[in-house]
Amino acid sequence: METLSIPQPEVGASFRAAMRRIASTVTIVTASDESRRHGMTMTAVSSLSMEPPSMIVCVNQSTFLHDILQSARGFCVNVLRHDHAAVSTAFSGKATPEERFLTGDWERNAYGIDFLSDAQANIFCQKAAAVPFGTHTIFIGTAIHVRLNEDASPLLYRNAAYC
Amino acid sequence: METLSIPQPEVGASFRAAMRRIASTVTIVTASDESRRHGMTMTAVSSLSMEPPSMIVCVNQSTFLHDILQSARGFCVNVLRHDHAAVSTAFSGKATPEERFLTGDWERNAYGIDFLSDAQANIFCQKAAAVPFGTHTIFIGTAIHVRLNEDASPLLYRNAAYC
């Protein structure tokens, strides 16, 4: 047994189809450095460890958010509510950062991190590691502050649509 | 600005509360080596990159699955359907591997990897990297074969319950 399996020629297409079937809670990941800020709608986000409390976000290396995350000290994971579809859409298009932050109720903390004030939860993370793989980088963040609002149904995304 | 923020003393508890609010599609991750096999219900699973098609699973280092994954060549991510709650429960308790595999319609491929034949999708991954962090390890797998069944609503988990 030299390899686990013979790679499927069309694995890319079937992999995409499988990923589309996985329903995920929609988040907006925000980050800033000395002079720039950005936010991007993301579903490739996961808890990692409880000790220390930590999360991962998988970010495409071609994005502006990735560029900022390379130099940023941290990031914020804003967990959306079911009624946040408009904010999610604003942060997933081609709009500039400043245009994006016009949609939704955004605030900025004392450390210059933007957060969605009526998100279900805002998880402020300090960047602990960055692991590049393929077209993406896994950013590992240690949670240093968590802001919780009232519990609400989350915004879910599946098959390229909110559900 | 020496640090991003002063760490919150109770961040562990609020981090857990925030994580409970994130609805996730339930998967069972299976792996085997020369002599052992196991499967574990997991939600800390995410797509990583499309080029190469890859996924990550975040596994507690204290688990038997982690032990197997250290030596295994790969793993399978079985994406559950809404009617798979009983299988999910069987693979999240204290039962032995052999007891677990009695629940659900399991098959084994030519490479010795167990897969749930009526899962929405089975993503067979070759282990590409393992990144330890805190109590967990991020296993990165490159998808080499994907099996798709008919599309169905996924089994979702949120606030410690199926939903």
Side-chain angles (χ1 to χ4, degrees):
Chain A
M1 186 165 87
E2 281 303 299
T3 59
L4 183 70
S5 174
I6 294 161
Q8 213 175 359
E10 76 286 14
V11 69
S14 52
F15 180 76
R16 278 176 198 271
M19 292 305 103
R20 285 166 58 102
R21 293 192 181 180
I22 296 178
S24 302
T25 295
V26 182
T27 72
I28 295 176
V29 177
T30 49
S32 49
D33 59 15
E34 302 302 317
S35 58
R36 306 171 300 170
R37 65 170 177 170
H38 200 47
M40 199 164 84
T41 300
M42 293 194 58
T43 55
V45 169
S46 175
S47 70
L48 169 53
S49 158
M50 293 294 162
E51 192 54 54
S54 50
M55 297 193 76
I56 51 173
V57 297
C58 305
V59 184
N60 194 307
Q61 289 165 12
S62 70
T63 61
F64 183 46
L65 183 67
H66 189 276
D67 195 25
I68 292 181
L69 282 170
Q70 295 279 56
S71 54
R73 281 202 181 76
F75 53 86
C76 181
V77 178
N78 301 274
V79 181
L80 300 195
R81 304 154 43 110
H82 61 94
D83 53 359
H84 276 142
V87 196
S88 169
T89 301
F91 280 77
S92 51
K94 300 232 176 259
T96 64
E98 294 321 307
E99 287 165 345
R100 292 175 183 218
F101 284 107
L102 295 175
T103 304
D105 191 11
W106 291 93
E107 293 184 37
R108 176 168 270 215
N109 76 2
Y111 304 95
I113 307 267
D114 298 281
F115 64 96
L116 186 66
S117 66
D118 62 348
Q120 275 205 69
N122 311 98
I123 304 134
F124 296 90
C125 295
Q126 193 144 29
K127 195 174 70 178
V131 183
F133 187 85
T135 54
H136 283 59
T137 298
I138 305 166
F139 289 97
I140 303 176
T142 307
I144 47 174
H145 185 79
V146 176
R147 207 175 148 270
L148 289 168
N149 280 318
E150 202 177 339
D151 193 12
S153 302
L155 183 64
L156 289 173
Y157 192 75
R158 182 176 185 270
N159 272 342
Y162 301 118
C163 59
Chain B
M1 188 165 84
E2 280 304 298
T3 57
L4 183 70
S5 175
I6 295 163
Q8 214 175 357
E10 75 287 13
V11 69
S14 53
F15 179 75
R16 278 176 198 272
M19 292 305 103
R20 284 165 59 102
R21 293 192 181 179
I22 296 178
S24 302
T25 295
V26 181
T27 71
I28 295 176
V29 177
T30 49
S32 49
D33 59 15
E34 302 302 317
S35 58
R36 306 171 301 170
R37 66 171 177 168
H38 200 47
M40 199 165 82
T41 300
M42 293 194 58
T43 55
V45 168
S46 175
S47 69
L48 170 53
S49 158
M50 293 294 162
E51 191 53 56
S54 50
M55 296 192 77
I56 51 174
V57 297
C58 304
V59 183
N60 194 308
Q61 290 165 11
S62 69
T63 61
F64 182 47
L65 183 66
H66 188 276
D67 194 25
I68 292 181
L69 282 170
Q70 294 279 56
S71 54
R73 283 202 180 75
F75 54 87
C76 180
V77 178
N78 301 275
V79 182
L80 301 194
R81 305 156 40 112
H82 62 95
D83 52 358
H84 275 142
V87 196
S88 169
T89 301
F91 280 77
S92 52
K94 301 236 176 252
T96 64
E98 294 320 307
E99 286 165 347
R100 293 177 183 217
F101 285 106
L102 295 176
T103 305
D105 191 11
W106 292 92
E107 292 184 37
R108 177 167 269 216
N109 76 2
Y111 303 95
I113 307 267
D114 299 283
F115 64 96
L116 186 66
S117 67
D118 61 348
Q120 275 205 69
N122 311 97
I123 304 134
F124 296 90
C125 295
Q126 192 144 29
K127 195 174 69 177
V131 183
F133 187 85
T135 54
H136 282 60
T137 297
I138 306 166
F139 289 97
I140 302 176
T142 307
I144 47 174
H145 184 79
V146 176
R147 205 174 149 270
L148 289 167
N149 279 318
E150 202 178 339
D151 194 11
S153 302
L155 183 63
L156 288 173
Y157 192 75
R158 180 175 186 271
N159 272 340
Y162 301 118
C163 58

